[in-house]
Amino acid sequence: MIAEAGLAALWLATGFALVQVMLAWGAARGADRKGAAMVMTGLRRVAIVQGLLALAAFGLLITLFVRSDMSVLLVVENSHSLKPLIYKIAGAWGNHEGSMLLWVTVLAVSGAGVAIFEKRLPQGTLAATLGAQAAIALGFYAFLAFASNPFVRIDPAPLDGRGLNPLLQDPGLAFHPPTLYLGYVGLSVAFSFAVGALLMRDVGPAFARAMRPWVLAAWIFLTIGITAGSYWAYYELGWGGWWFWDPVENASLMPWLAATALLHSVSVLATRDGLRAWTVMLAVVAFSMSMIGTFLVRSGILVSVHAFAVDPTRGGFILALLGLYIGGALALFGARIGTVKQGATFELLSREGALVLNNLLLSVILGVVFIGTLYPLVAQAAGVQLSIGAPFFEKAAVPVGLALVAATACGPLLKWRRDQWNALLGKLLVPVAAAAGTFALVFALAGTEHWLAVLSLALAAGLAVASVIPLVRRNLRRTPLHIWGMVVAHLGIAVSVAGMAADSAFKSERLAAISVGQNVTVGPYRVELLEVRPAIGPNWSAVEAHLKATRTGAAPIDLFPQQRFFANPPTNTNEAAIATELDGQLYTVVGQGDGRGRWQLRLWWKPFVTLIWLGGALVALGGLLSLIGRVRRERRDAENDL
């Protein structure tokens, strides 16, 4: 009865979402009438119950996977009784139906969180916000009920399941999709706040202060998810790269770019009462990118390990929801934007001006990624086959990205409202000197072949120095936590850019076929093949190579790359073996034997590549510090107002 209980919980959640929309309509229209407080209390409670019911449905689905209930079709298609427990649990969202249930669960729980924690918005605006959130949930409940029911029974039940895609049988599946979804769907809250504020003509600092923690939280989770997903693909797929510009990768990058712009814009509105219309528009765009990403991954239009749906009916359903919600929001924006007041003005040379430039550059990069991702799909629909790969994105986006790095370095050094060129140039002397010194040093070592990477390293050095200048002459113990967050996040960007540039310019690759006892060199390492032997895992068998990597002045390193074979479903995979050092990584992959005792080895030496993910972690940490600092300050301000 677990599957039936899960389906019942979903239907009950759908009913409560419908009630929530109706109560929100009544509370928003009658915000000043007698009894409105009672309606508002009921609205909050309904939102909380809806979130709990969605959470219960998802918990019951996980239970079915843990119990290996082969009477449920989804379990049969995506699990196996012999799988390790972690992959049984992760298998609940490692498929189309389960991932969409996770999507709507996060959506409903986020709405419940708004109902519980938001206390300072005017009653009408909060009611409209909760109504918008419930309206989004209704569409996705309908999608689950009519197109992607995760609780369908199968009769007769097979003896065992088909298993999970081996490429997904990795601990990365346990945290990468949930963190991305918390980011994706967290942007729905910002969208709902924007819709609520437009409906009630209440676009101002109070609305921005209410929305900002949700934007920050969504951005943090997106940053963690993208960073973790990059490293997961890097070590799991055995191709030696950290970003492929795959459409599914871009589907997560586009919301992050929009959320980054929104995060800066909402901070200006919350603290300086500026960029009102821009903030509302970015909230709509950010969730639009989340919906477009959902359509790309869940519609079956893409062939990828991440893309689960193959039924065009599902893609059409999601496309209809996208048109309904995003089209409706844009129509509302067009109808109500005339009622949004201008807000505070500022000079071009100011921190607000730098943030506007930051947002424009982010928007350009977003446009490049959007066009490069969707244009081949549009062309394919017109009967033209073409592909857009890394060269296009790198040529179009990287120069704009470098300009963005420079703007990021300047922004925090400017004053609010108005500043002077002489003052800015004085503050930039040390960062510019650091960038120029780095450029000269690396250029002397690398020459002209990798000039773009050299420029990237120079700008990264300048940004790293500029990012810590706001702490100069401050009492560090009394420095607000959100200032620390900004510093750490900007420093993280500099670290990531340095890692990307170093990997691009200075990596070494070697492909060789050698016998046991022979060796090959790559970068500073000499790698010897000691043995090739069989290996057995919990649900796989493998051919495993034993490599010994030696480097002058360092102890030898043993590495064990594998070719794995999974029986359920039958799949071969490469498992890279990676040695991480302070100055980079040695990345090794073993290939097929030639039947004469020789084995293919593919080796990379990747200097400072780990800085890419260290920087991503610092960016997320900076966001977390800012979130904690902002919440503390707003809570303290609220207590002072009492």
Side-chain angles (χ1 to χ4, degrees), residues 326-571:
I326 305 309
L330 291 175
L332 176 63
F333 180 84
R336 292 292 173 88
I337 192 59
T339 67
V340 176
K341 297 180 180 179
Q342 179 180 1
T345 59
F346 51 85
E347 297 291 334
L348 183 62
L349 186 63
S350 63
R351 187 175 295 189
E352 292 95 332
L355 290 173
V356 169
L357 176 61
N358 175 290
N359 283 358
L360 289 174
L361 292 172
L362 282 167
S363 299
V364 171
I365 298 172
L366 174 59
V368 168
V369 177
F370 181 84
I371 293 170
T373 302
L374 293 185
Y375 182 70
L377 303 178
V378 174
Q380 183 179 357
V384 179
Q385 296 292 329
L386 59 86
S387 63
I388 295 179
F392 165 80
F393 291 105
E394 291 169 1
K395 289 179 180 178
V398 170
V400 184
L402 294 180
L404 179 61
V405 171
T408 303
C410 296
L413 305 182
L414 289 164
K415 294 180 180 178
W416 294 105
R417 304 291 190 212
R418 183 186 300 110
D419 208 339
Q420 301 296 324
W421 282 107
N422 290 339
L424 174 61
L425 293 175
K427 294 174 183 176
L428 284 175
L429 281 177
V430 177
V432 169
T438 302
F439 184 88
L441 176 62
V442 180
F443 188 82
L445 296 174
T448 60
E449 183 180 356
H450 303 289
W451 68 269
L452 193 59
V454 174
L455 180 61
S456 301
L457 284 167
L459 288 173
L463 175 58
V465 174
S467 65
V468 300
I469 288 179
L471 298 178
V472 175
R473 297 178 183 175
R474 279 182 177 268
N475 184 330
L476 298 183
R477 292 185 177 181
R478 295 188 176 182
T479 300
L481 204 55
H482 70 272
I483 298 295
W484 279 105
M486 177 190 69
V487 169
V488 172
H490 287 181
L491 183 60
I493 293 171
V495 171
S496 280
V497 171
M500 296 171 191
D503 178 63
S504 173
F506 306 120
K507 67 182 175 184
S508 302
E509 181 180 356
R510 186 73 183 271
L511 179 62
I514 62 175
S515 304
V516 171
Q518 294 181 329
N519 62 74
V520 62
T521 60
V522 59
Y525 282 94
R526 181 171 60 84
V527 180
E528 181 181 359
L529 178 61
L530 297 181
E531 183 184 10
V532 179
R533 61 196 179 196
I536 300 294
N539 60 332
W540 49 264
S541 59
V543 173
E544 180 180 83
H546 181 189
L547 307 177
K548 183 175 72 173
T550 55
R551 182 179 184 178
T552 303
I557 301 171
D558 290 310
L559 296 165
F560 301 93
Q562 296 176 338
Q563 290 182 61
R564 288 185 182 175
F565 173 74
F566 293 80
N568 293 296
T571 310

Side-chain angles (χ1 to χ4, degrees), residues 195-227:
V195 169
L198 284 173
L199 285 171
M200 304 307 295
R201 297 178 173 86
D202 187 29
V203 177
F207 136 79
R209 284 192 289 270
M211 183 170 69
R212 181 167 55 185
W214 297 95
V215 176
L216 252 174
W219 181 80
I220 291 166
F221 282 116
L222 275 174
T223 302
I224 294 172
I226 291 172
T227 303

Side-chain angles (χ1 to χ4, degrees), residues 158-348:
L159 295 177
D160 218 329
R162 301 175 186 173
L164 182 66
N165 186 334
L167 291 176
L168 299 178
Q169 293 185 35
D170 185 270
L173 182 64
F175 58 82
H176 169 59
T179 51
L180 270 184
Y181 277 29
L182 286 167
Y184 278 167
V185 187
L187 292 175
S188 70
V189 179
F191 175 84
S192 296
F193 272 115
V195 169
L198 284 173
L199 285 171
M200 304 307 295
R201 297 178 173 86
D202 187 29
V203 177
F207 136 79
R209 284 192 289 270
M211 183 170 69
R212 181 167 55 185
W214 297 95
V215 176
L216 252 174
W219 181 80
I220 291 166
F221 282 116
L222 275 174
T223 302
I224 294 172
I226 291 172
T227 303
S230 168
Y231 192 68
W232 178 19
Y234 169 78
Y235 73 75
E236 177 64 25
L237 298 182
W239 65 293
W242 55 273
W243 195 263
F244 192 65
W245 295 104
D246 177 90
V248 179
E249 291 177 324
N250 295 344
S252 63
L253 179 61
M254 290 189 292
W256 185 86
L257 291 168
T260 303
L262 174 61
L263 179 59
H264 291 90
S265 183
V266 76
S267 294
V268 173
L269 178 53
T271 58
R272 302 289 166 174
D273 192 19
L275 306 181
R276 291 188 177 195
W278 187 245
T279 300
V280 173
M281 185 63 184
L282 282 174
V284 174
V285 169
F287 186 59
S288 300
M289 294 300 103
S290 174
M291 288 284 292
I292 288 171
T294 301
F295 169 71
L296 289 175
V297 179
R298 303 291 175 259
S299 65
I301 199 169
L302 298 176
V303 178
S304 167
V305 66
H306 307 81
F308 304 120
V310 293
D311 184 354
T313 303
R314 294 173 173 176
F317 205 126
I318 295 175
L319 190 61
L321 292 177
L322 192 154
L324 175 65
Y325 294 134
I326 305 309
L330 291 175
L332 176 63
F333 180 84
R336 292 292 173 88
I337 192 59
T339 67
V340 176
K341 297 180 180 179
Q342 179 180 1
T345 59
F346 51 85
E347 297 291 334
L348 183 62

Side-chain angles (χ1 to χ4, degrees), residues 25-284:
W25 176 263
R29 286 177 60 87
D32 300 324
R33 298 177 186 172
K34 187 177 180 180
M38 185 178 299
V39 175
M40 196 66 206
T41 300
L43 174 60
R44 289 181 185 269
R45 290 175 178 174
V46 167
I48 294 168
V49 172
Q50 186 215 144
L52 291 174
L53 285 168
L55 194 61
F58 187 63
L60 289 169
L61 181 66
I62 292 176
T63 302
L64 291 170
F65 273 82
V66 171
R67 291 165 59 98
S68 295
D69 188 340
M70 297 304 163
S71 67
V72 175
L73 179 62
L74 195 65
V75 179
V76 172
E77 293 180 339
N78 298 279
S79 190
H80 191 277
S81 61
L82 298 180
K83 290 208 179 303
L85 178 61
I86 186 174
Y87 300 139
K88 289 183 179 180
I89 295 173
W93 56 78
N95 55 80
H96 173 77
E97 292 85 351
S99 66
M100 292 308 301
L101 180 55
L102 174 60
W103 209 100
V104 78
T105 299
V106 176
L107 186 76
V109 171
S110 298
V114 174
I116 294 170
F117 296 112
E118 184 48 52
K119 306 292 184 183
R120 292 190 293 163
L121 269 183
Q123 179 175 295
T125 305
L126 178 59
T129 298
L130 291 174
Q133 192 75 1
I136 298 171
L138 263 178
F140 284 94
Y141 285 133
F143 177 73
L144 284 170
F146 299 114
S148 296
N149 181 4
F151 297 106
V152 172
R153 293 280 190 182
I154 182 172
D155 187 26
L159 295 177
D160 218 329
R162 301 175 186 173
L164 182 66
N165 186 334
L167 291 176
L168 299 178
Q169 293 185 35
D170 185 270
L173 182 64
F175 58 82
H176 169 59
T179 51
L180 270 184
Y181 277 29
L182 286 167
Y184 278 167
V185 187
L187 292 175
S188 70
V189 179
F191 175 84
S192 296
F193 272 115
V195 169
L198 284 173
L199 285 171
M200 304 307 295
R201 297 178 173 86
D202 187 29
V203 177
F207 136 79
R209 284 192 289 270
M211 183 170 69
R212 181 167 55 185
W214 297 95
V215 176
L216 252 174
W219 181 80
I220 291 166
F221 282 116
L222 275 174
T223 302
I224 294 172
I226 291 172
T227 303
S230 168
Y231 192 68
W232 178 19
Y234 169 78
Y235 73 75
E236 177 64 25
L237 298 182
W239 65 293
W242 55 273
W243 195 263
F244 192 65
W245 295 104
D246 177 90
V248 179
E249 291 177 324
N250 295 344
S252 63
L253 179 61
M254 290 189 292
W256 185 86
L257 291 168
T260 303
L262 174 61
L263 179 59
H264 291 90
S265 183
V266 76
S267 294
V268 173
L269 178 53
T271 58
R272 302 289 166 174
D273 192 19
L275 306 181
R276 291 188 177 195
W278 187 245
T279 300
V280 173
M281 185 63 184
L282 282 174
V284 174

